[in-house]
Structure formats: C-alpha cells, structure tokens
C-alpha cells in the first residue's frame, strides 16, 4: 500500500508526518518503507533505517516499483509543485494532505485540494494558545469533517526526536496524535476495500 504525504506549502509538517507514521508502522511490526522523494533528504536524515532516498524519481510507475516489496510504503514529497510530488500522488493508494493552521497554510491547502482529493487531512503544529489556529481548525472541520484528523500539537519533543534520529516519546502528545492518525489511515484503507 502506497501512502503519499502531500502539501504544497513548505514547512507544513509533511516530513514529520511521514516519519512519525512510518515509525508508528514499524513499531506495530509492519514491513514499512519510508520513501524520501525530497532532494533535501530530511526524512532520511531523521530515520535512515526506514528510508530510501530517491529524489530523482519522476514517474508513478517507478514509485510503485520501489514500494512493491513492502507491506506499507510512506512517501515524503518535496514542497511546491515538484514533479516527484505529482508522481507520488498519482501512484498513491491513499493521499494524506498535511497543513499548518496559519492563514498562509489555509491558502496552500486550498491550492492542493484543487489538484488532489485527499483521503485524510492532518492539521499539524497546532498551538493551543493561538486563536487563529482554533478558528482554522473549526473551519477545516466544518468544511471537511469526515477527512480531518485530530490535530498534531506543537511540541518540543518533535525537534528533539529529529535531532536524535529517534521516534517520538510514546506517551508524548504528538505521538498520541500520530498513533490515532495511523489507526484512522488503516480504517480508511479497510473501508476502501
Ligand atoms: N508537531 C510539531 N511540533 C513542533 N515542531 C514541529 C512539529 N511538526 C513539525 N515541526 C517542525 O517544523 C519544521 C517543519 O516541519 P517538517 O520538516 O516536517 O515540514 P515539511 O513540510 O516537511 O517542510 P519542507 O516543505 O521543507 O519539506 C521542522 O523544524 C519540524 O521539526
Ligand atoms: Mg519535508
């Protein structure tokens, strides 16, 4: 199963979401590949044991071939309208759209939704003290309630895990969110047949 993590805006939390979902799959004993299509290689730097860095891939067929040997393949895409991102969206069984909750993020999400029809929308980097984030979440859930997952809270444990090339502490708020989001992904897969 190919799961593409998409988002047009830079820094929205795509790589964090790809890595944390791949780590969650690995923790469940699933044979998972984290396919890193971003020339920056951020996902590979964070989780080298789970990753393959193939930034030169341009077609969905190439992506399907690489992912074929694994139970689950989670694909991290570069920001913007990179050809790798378009190919990964084309190849995917499931598309997860990732978005921050600022005004620029909402614009980026609208742009993305004109091009793809995601299976889930994951709001990331939620700061509970910011009214604008609360409003954005409310707007997202009233428009796409069936697609929007619980938000991933902003937390210092994310940058620490990345620096340590580690998984999130299992009881931390972002780890709890990504665990629930992984369950939701598996439920969508089951309902798709
Ligand atoms: N829940 C979170 N709490 C705190 N920091 C976070 C969280 N999610 C992501 N970050 C931080 O935000 C920054 C951007 O996240 P990330 O690299 O995942 O975004 P991206 O969409 O992949 O960026 P790019 O477009 O450059 O590939 C990183 O420094 C990351 O550590
Ligand atoms: Mg990234």
């Amino acid at each position: 199963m190919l799961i593409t993590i998409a988002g047009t805006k830079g820094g929205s939390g795509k790589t964090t979401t790809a890595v944390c979902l791949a780590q969650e799959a690995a923790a469940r004993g699933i044979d998972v590949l984290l396919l890193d299509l971003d020339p920056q290689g951020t996902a590979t730097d964070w989780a080298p044991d789970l990753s393959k860095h193939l930034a030169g891939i341009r077609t969905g067929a190439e992506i399907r071939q690489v992912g074929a040997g694994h139970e689950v393949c989670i694909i991290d895409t570069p920001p913007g309208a990179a050809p790798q991102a378009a190919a990964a969206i084309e190849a995917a069984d499931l598309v997860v759209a990732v978005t921050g909750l600022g005004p620029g993020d909402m614009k980026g999400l609208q742009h993305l939704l004109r091009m793809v029809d995601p299976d889930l929308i994951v709001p990331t980097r939620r700061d509970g003290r910011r009214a604008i984030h609360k409003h954005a979440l409310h707007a997202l859930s009233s428009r796409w309630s069936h697609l929007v997952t619980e938000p991933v809270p902003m937390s210092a444990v994310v940058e620490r895990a990345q620096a340590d090339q580690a998984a999130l502490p299992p009881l931390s708020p972002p780890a709890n969110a990504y665990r629930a989001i992984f369950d939701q992904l598996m439920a969508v897969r089951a309902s798709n047949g």
Side-chain angles (χ1 to χ4, degrees), residues 44-67:
T44 311
D45 290 342
W46 183 344
D49 297 350
L50 295 176
S51 303
K52 215 174 237 174
H53 188 206
L54 296 173
I57 278 186
R58 289 289 188 278
T59 71
E62 287 175 285
I63 292 170
R64 277 191 291 272
Q65 201 170 9
V66 175

Side-chain angles (χ1 to χ4, degrees), residues 70-106:
H70 300 270
E71 216 174 326
V72 170
C73 175
I74 297 180
I75 306 168
D76 186 30
T77 59
Q84 296 96 322
I89 288 167
E90 184 232 301
D93 299 304
L94 297 174
V95 176
V96 175
V98 170
T99 181
L101 291 163
D105 296 294
M106 293 296 107

Side-chain angles (χ1 to χ4, degrees), residues 19 40 43 61 63 80 112 131:
V19 171
Q40 295 174 102
I63 292 170
L112 180 70

Side-chain angles (χ1 to χ4, degrees), residues 94-175:
L94 297 174
V95 176
V96 175
V98 170
T99 181
L101 291 163
D105 296 294
M106 293 296 107
K107 274 204 148 161
L109 178 66
Q110 276 163 11
H111 183 68
L112 180 70
L113 295 181
R114 282 197 286 272
M115 300 180 296
V116 298
D117 200 5
D119 296 281
L120 286 181
I121 298 174
V122 176
T124 58
R125 302 166 46 110
R126 200 261 319 231
D127 181 343
R129 294 164 306 185
R130 294 189 62 186
I132 196 165
H133 285 192
K134 200 182 275 181
H135 290 140
L137 263 180
H138 182 75
L140 280 180
S141 332
S142 39
R143 180 97 195 264
W144 294 287
S145 59
H146 58 299
L147 297 181
V148 179
T149 68
E150 70 173 81
V152 179
M154 194 74 147
S155 163
V157 302
V158 171
E159 282 183 340
R160 212 171 305 133
Q162 185 171 6
D164 294 344
Q165 297 185 321
L168 297 172
L171 299 179
S172 62

